[in-house]
């Protein structure tokens, strides 16, 4: 059974700092891995999608890496801004059906001006 | 183009009642999935529909049911509501050949009193 964990559960950093969010999964037979952002009480916004055959994806100040063999993914945020404050969730798509993703519990990020 | 739309945005029900939540996917998306997110946790998979057929069901009781219509919109029905059904219900759609990328709606916040 796939289990997804995220460390840390919460993080508070000063504006401008570079930071790394971690995601771990127990079953390496994945189809893809997605990172989402969620603002309080809102839906999820897709940030980056990494296919199982890829090692990383980049979008602006965001970079996500994937190491299937070790069951890990990291989301790197460069030069953090107060607007980055949100909960970040990773989600693993199973090999048999990519829509049935398994989510981690999320990391709550607060960027202090 | 419009994103995934969900209605209603908020709903208050009492125990034992029935509720219907609605979702319209992005135009061209044929797959719709439903998730339940309890406060402080990651979303949990409930159902996936593709081309009007159920393709997957999560670990939820039979009180939960769903369907997809010819225009690919979807309904989630919950019978005999319990206090523990209080959550944010999220709908996501994905395009054919999109590599499994999920596009989420803003969700329906259901409160059961």
């Amino acid at each position: 059974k796939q289990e997804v964990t995220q460390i840390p559960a919460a993080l508070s950093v000063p504006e401008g700092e570079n930071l790394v969010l971690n995601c771990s999964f127990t079953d390496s037979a994945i189809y893809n891995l997605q990172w989402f952002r969620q603002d309080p009480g809102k839906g999820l916004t897709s940030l980056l999608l990494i296919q199982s055959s890829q090692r990383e994806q980049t979008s602006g100040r965001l970079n996500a890496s994937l190491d299937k063999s070790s069951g890990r993914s990291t989301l790197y945020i460069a030069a953090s801004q107060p607007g980055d404050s949100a909960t970040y969730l990773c989600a693993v798509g199973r090999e048999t059906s990519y829509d049935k993703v398994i989510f981690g519990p999320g990391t709550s990020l607060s960027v202090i001006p | 183009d419009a994103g995934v739309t969900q209605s209603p945005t908020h709903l208050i029900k009492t125990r034992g009642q029935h509720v219907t939540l609605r979702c319209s996917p992005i135009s061209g998306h044929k797959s719709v999935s439903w998730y339940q997110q309890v406060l402080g946790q990651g979303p949990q998979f409930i159902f996936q529909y593709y081309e009007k057929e159920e393709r997957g069901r999560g670990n939820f009781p039979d009180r939960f049911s769903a369907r997809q219509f010819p225009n690919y919109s979807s309904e989630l029905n919950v019978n005999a509501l319990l206090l523990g059904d209080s959550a944010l219900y999220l709908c996501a759609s994905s395009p054919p050949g999109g590599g499994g990328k999920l596009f989420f709606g803003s969700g329906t916040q259901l409160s059961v009193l």
Side-chain angles (χ1 to χ4, degrees), chain A residues 55-91:
Chain A
R55 294 295 297 246
E56 67 176 340
Q57 285 286 336
T58 298
S59 176
R61 295 182 294 109
L62 305 179
N63 175 276
S65 67
L66 173 64
D67 185 342
K68 273 181 58 175
S69 60
S70 66
R72 293 181 184 178
S73 176
T74 61
L75 178 66
Y76 175 83
I77 303 177
S80 57
Q81 303 171 357
D84 295 331
S85 298
T87 296
Y88 291 81
L89 298 129
C90 70

Side-chain angles (χ1 to χ4, degrees), chain A residues 31-32 34 36 38 41-46 49 51 89 94 97-106, chain B residues 31-33 35 37 40-43 45 48 55-56 88 90 94-95 98-102 104-106:
Chain A
Y31 181 81
N32 60 26
Q34 300 182 68
F36 293 90
Q38 185 174 34
K42 304 294 185 184
L44 279 65
T45 300
S46 179
L49 167 67
Q51 301 297 339
L89 298 129
R94 298 191 300 180
S97 177
Y98 56 76
D99 272 24
K100 297 176 218 176
V101 298
I102 306 298
F103 281 85
Chain B
S31 176
V32 170
S33 50
Y35 293 82
Q37 187 178 25
Q41 298 181 17
F45 170 77
Q48 184 212 349
R55 292 295 183 91
L88 180 66
L90 296 162
S94 54
K101 185 172 183 177
L102 293 176
F104 279 85
S106 297

Side-chain angles (χ1 to χ4, degrees), chain B:
Chain B
D1 283 342
V4 177
T5 58
Q6 291 188 244
S7 63
T9 55
H10 295 83
L11 204 51
I12 299 175
K13 293 285 189 179
T14 56
R15 282 178 297 174
Q17 285 190 311
H18 163 90
V19 69
T20 297
L21 311 180
R22 295 178 175 82
C23 171
S24 293
I26 294 171
S27 177
H29 292 195
K30 300 180 179 180
S31 176
V32 170
S33 50
W34 287 93
Y35 293 82
Q36 180 197 65
Q37 187 178 25
V38 174
L39 192 63
Q41 298 181 17
Q44 283 202 313
F45 170 77
I46 310 176
F47 285 109
Q48 184 212 349
Y49 277 79
Y50 181 77
E51 291 275 18
K52 297 168 285 181
E53 290 189 3
E54 182 183 303
R55 292 295 183 91
R57 173 187 285 255
N59 188 24
F60 281 81
D62 292 343
R63 299 185 295 107
F64 288 76
S65 64
R67 56 179 176 168
Q68 187 177 32
F69 299 98
N71 66 353
Y72 304 112
S73 66
S74 178
E75 282 183 354
L76 176 69
N77 295 283
V78 187
N79 292 323
L81 286 167
L82 302 174
L83 296 179
D85 295 331
S86 295
L88 180 66
Y89 289 84
L90 296 162
C91 172
S93 70
S94 54
K101 185 172 183 177
L102 293 176
F103 296 80
F104 279 85
S106 297
T108 294
Q109 184 66 56
L110 172 65
S111 298
V112 182
L113 306 179

